[in-house]
Amino acid sequence: MSNLVILGAQWGDEGKGKITDFLAKKADLVVRCQGGDNAGHTVELGDQKYKLHLIPSGILYPEKQNIIGNGVVLNPKSLINEIKYLNELGISVDNLKISDRAHIIFPYHIEIDKLEEEARGDKKIGTTIKGIGPCYRDKVERCGLRMCDFKYRDSFEKRLRYNINRKNDLLVKYYGVEPLDENKIVKEYIDYLNQIEKYIVDTNTLVKSFVKDGKKVLFEGAQGALLDIDFGTYPYVTSSHPISGGVPIGVGISPLDLKQAVGVVKAYTTRVGKGPFPTELFDEAGDIIREKGFEYGTTTGRPRRCGWLDIVMLNYSADINGLTSLAITKLDTLSDMDKLKICVAYELNGEKINTFPASLETLADCKPIYIEMDGWKLEDIEKAETYEQLPENAKKYVEKIEELTKVPADIVSVGPKRSQTFMRKELL
Ligand code: GDP
Ligand code: IMO
Ligand code: MG
C-alpha cells in the first residue's frame, strides 16, 4: 500500500504543486482534501506554466484519476474558469471527479469575506477574499449547501434563496451595503452547477476502492501547517486543516491508511498575509530572495514576505504532520549569496527555547538564534544533473536541515521544472 500525503510544511507556496506533479507520474490517483481556490499551485512543463487553484496537480497526466474531496470548499464559477483555462491549454479534465459532500462557495461568502476584512482595519488577516472562511463557517453552522444537494433542484433552490435572504439581512442591517441580487445568483449558480454536475460522484467510495486495491494514491495538501486553524499562527490562518490529520477527514479514509507524509519546505521561509514571522528579513537579503525566487502570490499576485529558514517552526510542523520525508524546494534561489542563515532556536526573555509558542504575542517576542552557512554559485547548481553533482555547500545546507529536523530530505528541487528535481529515495 503506498498512500502518500504531500503537505506544505511552512506558510504555503512551498512548491506543493510542483512536487505533486513530479510524484504523480508514478501515482494512480491524486486527491485534494481541503482548502479551495485560495490555493495557487504552479506546475511548469516545458515553457508552459499551469496555475491550478482547485484542480489537483495530477491533472496534466490524462491517464491519472484526479479528485476534489469532501473537505474542499468549491466555488463552481472558479472551477468552470479553471476548466476552460486548462482546456485552452490543451488539457482535458475528463479524469476529474468532485465529491458529492463538498460544500459550495456562493457570492455571499465572498462578499462577507471582503466586508469582514475591511472591518478588521489594521487587524486584517490578509485573506484571499475567496469566501473560504465564511463557507467553512456555514459548514460548521450547518446551513451550507453541498454538491449532492443540487440533485434535488427544488429544495436546493429553496435553501439557497433562504441563505441569500439571511445573508442579505446581515449585509444591509449590519454592514449597511446593498443586498445581493437573489434571482441573479440563483439563476447563475444553477447554470454553473448544471455545467459541472457530470463530475459529481461519491468520491469517498472511489478513493476507498483505490486504497483497498493497493493503488498508489497521492493526497495533495493546500496551504501549510502554519496556516492550520488549530496549529497555525491563529488568527492569521486559513479555516481548514492543511496538515496530515486533515487528510482522512477531507477524503473519508482511515488515518491508518496513510503511509508516508512528505513535507514540502522552501529552502527559506515566505508568507503572504499578516501575522508574526520571526525570521522575516527587512534588508537587502529579503529583497534578493523575493526577486530571485519570484516570490509573488499565484492567487493574489501579492509580494510574499521573505526570511531565513526557521527550524523551530519546521520541527513543530514535522511533529504535527508526522513527516517521513522532506522535499526541499527552491535551493537555487539561495545561490550566489555569500553567507546563509538558519534559525535553530529562539531566544525568549533571555532563555533559549525550541518550541513554537501558541500566543502570537510570545511569538513576536521570540528572537531567532542563527547558525551561518557558506553559500554556493548558481551556475554550479545549474550544471548538476544529480544530487551528488550539486555544489558541496548546497549539499551541506540540505544535510544540515536533515540533521536539525531528523527527517530525510528525499527530494531536492533546484528549479520549477520536472527535470530540476532530484529524488534521493524512491517514495512511491
Ligand atoms: P504551492 O502553492 O506550494 O504549490 O507553491 P506555488 O506554486 O504557489 O509557489 C511556488 C513557486 O515556485 C511556483 O512558481 C513554482 O513554479 C516555483 N518552484 C517550485 N519549485 C521550485 C524550485 O525548486 N526552484 C524555483 N526557482 N522555483 C520553484
Ligand atoms: P497554497 O496552497 C499561501 C493565506 C492568506 C491569508 C490566510 C487566510 O498556494 O500554498 P484565506 O483566504 O484562506 O481565508 O486566507 O491564509 N493563504 C495562503 N498563503 N498559500 C496559500 O495556498 C494560501 N491560502 C491561504 O494569504 O494569510
Ligand atoms: Mg501557492
Side-chain angles (χ1 to χ4, degrees):
M1 200 180 342
S2 22
N3 304 319
L4 187 151
V5 191
I6 296 167
L7 299 152
Q10 295 156 313
W11 272 302
D13 302 324
E14 298 89 348
K16 297 174 292 293
K18 176 198 156 152
I19 299 299
T20 303
D21 164 76
F22 181 81
L23 289 174
K25 117 181 124 211
K26 283 203 174 171
D28 300 297
L29 169 65
V30 184
V31 194
R32 269 283 303 272
C33 321
Q34 44 68 230
D37 59 341
N38 50 348
H41 295 181
T42 320
V43 178
E44 277 195 45
L45 259 193
D47 292 333
Q48 186 61 54
K49 250 190 203 181
Y50 300 89
K51 293 185 177 187
L52 301 164
H53 300 282
L54 274 165
I55 298 179
S57 302
I59 201 71
L60 304 184
Y61 298 89
E63 71 284 9
K64 318 278 178 188
Q65 183 68 63
N66 284 264
I67 287 180
I68 298 178
N70 57 276
V72 171
V73 284
L74 189 148
N75 179 335
K77 185 177 177 181
S78 251
L79 181 70
I80 289 167
N81 285 337
E82 196 164 323
I83 292 173
K84 267 195 204 132
Y85 159 82
L86 285 173
N87 287 166
E88 278 164 16
L89 292 171
I91 308 292
S92 146
V93 297
D94 291 347
N95 49 341
L96 176 71
K97 299 274 181 248
I98 300 169
S99 169
D100 50 3
R101 288 183 161 84
H103 277 250
I104 306 171
I105 296 184
F106 290 102
Y108 50 79
H109 292 125
I110 297 170
E111 189 62 18
I112 292 169
D113 198 356
K114 187 181 117 217
L115 291 166
E116 284 178 346
E117 273 291 84
E118 281 166 15
R120 286 184 188 115
D122 62 358
K123 296 272 182 301
K124 277 186 189 24
I125 293 168
T127 76
T128 56
I129 321 277
K130 300 284 180 188
I132 305 295
C135 186
Y136 276 120
R137 187 195 301 159
D138 279 0
K139 173 176 176 172
V140 175
E141 204 181 312
R142 292 155 297 182
C143 66
L145 283 164
R146 298 178 299 162
M147 289 295 170
C148 57
D149 299 327
F150 187 61
K151 207 166 150 192
Y152 301 94
R153 298 287 198 278
D154 288 349
S155 75
F156 178 84
E157 189 177 326
K158 250 187 230 146
R159 287 169 62 189
L160 177 56
R161 286 186 184 278
Y162 177 80
N163 279 0
I164 299 170
N165 280 305
R166 283 204 54 197
K167 305 296 178 185
N168 272 343
D169 268 355
L170 179 74
L171 297 184
V172 174
K173 293 180 188 158
Y174 184 77
Y175 285 106
V177 298
E178 289 295 307
L180 298 172
D181 184 336
E182 177 185 335
N183 289 329
K184 183 165 171 260
I185 295 176
V186 171
K187 191 168 167 288
E188 265 180 28
Y189 276 70
I190 287 181
D191 174 44
Y192 294 146
L193 286 158
N194 270 324
Q195 292 183 53
I196 61 175
E197 195 175 19
K198 61 180 176 210
Y199 303 110
I200 304 171
V201 299
D202 169 4
T203 57
N204 305 100
T205 303
L206 188 58
V207 175
K208 199 74 211 173
S209 73
F210 273 79
V211 171
K212 277 204 177 124
D213 293 348
K215 296 274 171 55
K216 294 180 175 176
V217 185
L218 284 187
F219 298 99
E220 177 181 10
Q223 290 82 50
L226 276 294
L227 289 170
D228 182 272
I229 186 80
D230 271 74
F231 296 102
T233 43
Y234 190 91
Y236 299 101
V237 291
T238 192
S239 301
S240 66
H241 287 296
I243 55 173
S244 52
V247 173
I249 294 170
V251 291
I253 57 162
S254 160
L256 303 178
D257 286 332
L258 300 179
K259 296 298 160 201
Q260 301 176 78
V262 177
V264 186
V265 183
K266 237 175 240 191
Y268 45 95
T269 312
T270 62
R271 103 171 276 188
V272 281
K274 305 272 183 155
F277 176 172
T279 62
E280 184 166 13
L281 285 163
F282 298 98
D283 59 6
E284 207 194 339
D287 296 338
I288 292 175
I289 292 176
R290 184 174 309 102
E291 294 315 311
K292 281 182 33 196
F294 199 69
E295 294 297 352
Y296 294 88
T298 309
T299 300
T300 58
R302 289 179 289 182
R304 296 175 184 147
R305 299 157 64 192
C306 299
W308 297 120
L309 185 66
D310 182 342
I311 295 290
V312 181
M313 182 179 125
L314 188 52
N315 279 337
Y316 172 71
S317 173
D319 279 349
I320 285 167
N321 283 310
L323 296 183
T324 51
S325 302
L326 299 179
I328 299 180
T329 59
K330 301 196 102 166
L331 197 60
D332 52 309
T333 300
L334 293 183
S335 305
D336 296 329
M337 296 174 99
D338 286 343
K339 296 282 178 196
L340 304 169
K341 289 183 182 176
I342 299 179
C343 165
V344 291
Y346 296 150
E347 190 206 303
L348 178 67
N349 303 326
E351 283 188 31
K352 189 170 158 182
I353 64 162
N354 290 293
T355 50
F356 195 80
S359 150
L360 294 197
E361 283 84 351
T362 310
L363 185 61
D365 284 341
C366 287
K367 308 265 175 308
I369 299 173
Y370 288 114
I371 56 166
E372 216 169 57
M373 309 274 300
D374 290 326
W376 58 83
K377 293 276 161 238
L378 179 62
E379 58 177 3
D380 294 333
I381 284 234
E382 285 172 342
K383 271 188 238 152
E385 285 174 5
T386 61
Y387 175 77
E388 285 65 36
Q389 290 171 7
L390 282 176
E392 277 313 308
N393 287 343
K395 284 189 283 187
K396 277 190 190 155
Y397 188 81
V398 168
E399 286 150 30
K400 181 54 84 179
I401 299 172
E402 293 183 303
E403 180 195 318
L404 293 168
T405 58
K406 300 183 183 63
V407 185
D410 291 326
I411 303 177
V412 175
S413 166
V414 295
K417 301 205 184 333
R418 278 183 193 162
S419 57
Q420 293 167 309
T421 322
F422 304 129
M423 282 289 277
R424 298 173 67 206
K425 184 180 143 197
E426 285 308 309
L427 295 179
L428 264 184

